[in-house]
Amino acid sequence: MIWCNINGRNRVAQFIDQATESLFLQNERYQDEVIIERLVRAAHRGVKLHILGRPAHTLKKGKLVEGIEGLRILQDVGAKVHKLKGLKLHGKMMLADGSRALIGSINLAPGSFDSRRELAIAVHDEAVVKRLHEIVHHDWSHSHPLDLTDEGLLADLAENEEDAVRELALSAGKTSNHKAHTSQ
């Protein structure tokens, strides 16, 4: 059992650190600096990261910067970042190496780790992990890359373009320096 604010960040970090081949994540937010760092290290170790996140326009007012920056960092180190088609992503789950999982209510955000009573369970049961593996791959096949380039974010946030340009320091109308990952 993983409890926030008792042992949540440490246990999630350990889970990521133990991944050797693949890590599938489904979460609304990728904002906690410690967890982002651990995911970056996993990518540098050669762990293939598959991340389902939420598009920028679905983020709450005032959460745009922290909601996008973690995803952009992860994409820049080679993580494949997608969004679900037809479903609102709300689940919080990690599947490592097809053999173990974390499932619970923990957003990968400082508020969840530090100031809320969130929880998760670590799962190693073969039948449960097999089913999670099937669901994760189904979801991945029904997702598409999240365009985190400046241009992609501006298109996604067209109604709030002026705020987005300011908050995210985007290059409105210019070619983005951010890597485009459209062949994922």
Side-chain angles (χ1 to χ4, degrees):
M1 185 67 70
I2 301 164
W3 288 97
C4 294
N5 66 354
I6 298 170
N7 65 357
R9 184 178 282 113
N10 288 338
R11 292 283 304 276
V12 171
Q14 289 170 1
F15 183 87
I16 294 166
D17 290 348
Q18 293 169 359
T20 59
E21 296 175 18
S22 66
L23 194 55
F24 283 84
L25 295 93
Q26 292 189 2
N27 207 289
E28 289 182 62
R29 297 190 235 158
Y30 298 86
Q31 300 167 339
D32 189 78
E33 293 175 354
V34 171
I35 300 306
I36 298 297
E37 173 197 7
R38 288 313 195 356
L39 290 168
V40 166
R41 287 181 180 187
H44 286 163
R45 288 194 314 273
V47 175
K48 294 178 183 162
L49 301 177
H50 294 82
I51 295 172
L52 282 179
R54 292 180 67 188
H57 75 272
T58 67
L59 299 172
K60 293 179 184 176
K61 185 87 171 150
K63 299 290 183 184
L64 186 59
V65 172
E66 55 196 24
I68 296 300
E69 68 183 349
L71 290 174
R72 285 181 110 177
I73 290 167
L74 293 169
Q75 192 175 65
D76 282 347
V77 298
K80 294 180 179 180
V81 180
H82 282 210
K83 62 181 176 179
L84 277 174
K85 293 181 196 172
L87 289 175
K88 178 183 176 186
L89 179 65
H90 185 68
K92 287 87 173 160
M93 191 272 308
M94 293 184 190
L95 178 66
D97 303 324
S99 63
R100 56 195 181 84
L102 287 183
I103 306 168
S105 65
I106 302 171
N107 279 312
L108 303 179
S112 285
F113 289 120
D114 300 329
S115 59
R116 287 193 288 278
R117 179 62 77 212
E118 304 280 358
L119 68 116
I121 58 170
V123 178
H124 302 276
D125 180 80
E126 188 175 325
V128 173
V129 170
K130 179 181 179 194
R131 182 67 177 128
L132 288 170
H133 189 267
E134 292 168 2
I135 294 294
V136 163
H137 286 279
H138 174 271
D139 286 353
W140 193 257
S141 70
H142 290 85
S143 69
H144 54 87
L146 193 52
D147 187 351
L148 298 172
T149 64
D150 286 4
E151 294 81 9
L153 290 170
L154 287 169
D156 189 12
L157 297 164
E159 291 180 20
N160 301 311
E161 182 176 331
E162 190 174 314
D163 291 339
V165 168
R166 182 180 41 77
E167 289 180 38
L168 295 171
L170 300 178
S171 303
K174 297 180 183 174
T175 304
S176 174
N177 289 332
H178 189 76
K179 295 178 184 176
H181 297 273
T182 56
S183 62
Q184 302 176 20

